[in-house]
Amino acid sequence: MNAYKGLSIALLALGVAAGCATHPANHVAQVVSGPPAKQQNVTVPVGPGPVQYTVQAQPAPGTCHFGKTTDGQPLPDPACTPGATNPKVTAANLADTICKSGYTASIRPNSNITGREKEANIKSYAFTGDPKDAEYDHLISLELGGDPNDPRNLWVEPPSPDHKPGAGIANPKDKVENQLHSLVCTGKVALTDAQGAIATDWTTALTVVGHPNGN
């Protein structure tokens, strides 16, 4: 009787051990489980930041090509315009930089610099529309810690599909930038997440950071 009881206990122990061995993935998942990441890590180049600005060389004429979303919104060529961040803006100093009134105006390059760059960038992208309808745009806006004058962060952004020719600049990307800025400055979205999302695709940036309605 005792021998039988001992054998049963040994078999039971063996079965439990075998059961654990056949489900190691379940055990690990319980240890490391958590909310899924909202986006993959995106590496964005770092620019020189606010410096004594000079006219920056642009990509060679015709070497950059606009992209388009399914609804026709313009996107930059990631090879020419991957975006670039301002190294002076970090998660630790937001209150003294992008979340401080007047900061972006204080670092914005003068139009006598950007005007000449825009003319060259129009040729880079072979843009044939009215230049007055196209914005020389910071892909990562200054209010999101984008570099002020790195050519990797500036592109001639064509008007949206519903834009009336000759009506001047009306850029829906600006609204996305403002909403992301608010989310970053209220602590709802990390600075680097906002920068990576808008550098990848400004039309999906709010969804990627988990705030599709912008709030």
Side-chain angles (χ1 to χ4, degrees):
M1 182 67 176
N2 290 340
Y4 177 80
K5 182 177 180 180
L7 179 60
S8 298
I9 292 173
L11 290 174
L12 178 61
L14 181 62
V16 170
C20 290
T22 56
H23 299 285
N26 291 341
H27 177 69
V28 173
Q30 291 172 3
V31 173
V32 302
S33 63
K38 291 174 183 172
Q39 68 178 93
Q40 295 180 345
N41 291 330
V42 177
T43 301
V44 180
V46 179
V51 294
Q52 185 173 354
Y53 301 125
T54 58
V55 176
Q56 297 296 297
Q58 303 297 308
T63 58
C64 303
H65 307 281
F66 294 115
K68 283 187 178 181
T69 62
T70 54
D71 58 350
Q73 294 291 353
L75 297 171
D77 186 330
C80 295
T81 318
T85 60
N86 175 0
K88 300 296 185 182
V89 177
T90 69
N93 68 9
L94 295 177
D96 296 319
T97 55
I98 63 172
C99 300
K100 182 178 180 179
S101 178
Y103 174 77
T104 58
S106 73
I107 65 168
R108 189 177 296 278
N110 193 284
S111 60
N112 63 9
I113 298 288
T114 57
R116 292 160 66 186
E117 292 173 347
K118 179 179 179 179
E119 290 178 3
N121 196 263
I122 283 174
K123 296 176 182 177
S124 300
Y125 273 92
F127 176 68
T128 57
D130 187 341
K132 294 180 180 179
D133 288 340
E135 179 178 355
Y136 190 47
D137 175 69
H138 291 95
L139 179 58
I140 303 174
S141 65
L142 298 186
E143 64 182 332
L144 291 174
D147 192 89
N149 200 41
D150 190 316
R152 295 172 296 181
N153 196 42
L154 284 154
W155 65 304
V156 171
E157 182 179 1
S160 295
D162 59 350
H163 183 267
K164 186 177 295 185
I169 296 171
N171 185 353
K173 179 173 174 284
D174 291 343
K175 182 178 180 181
V176 175
E177 294 168 352
N178 293 338
Q179 291 172 314
L180 285 172
H181 175 260
S182 178
L183 290 168
V184 169
C185 289
T186 54
K188 296 178 181 178
V189 172
L191 174 66
T192 53
D193 286 348
Q195 292 172 335
I198 201 163
T200 301
D201 185 338
W202 68 267
T203 67
T204 61
L206 289 168
T207 298
V208 168
V209 299
H211 296 266
N213 296 322
N215 49 44

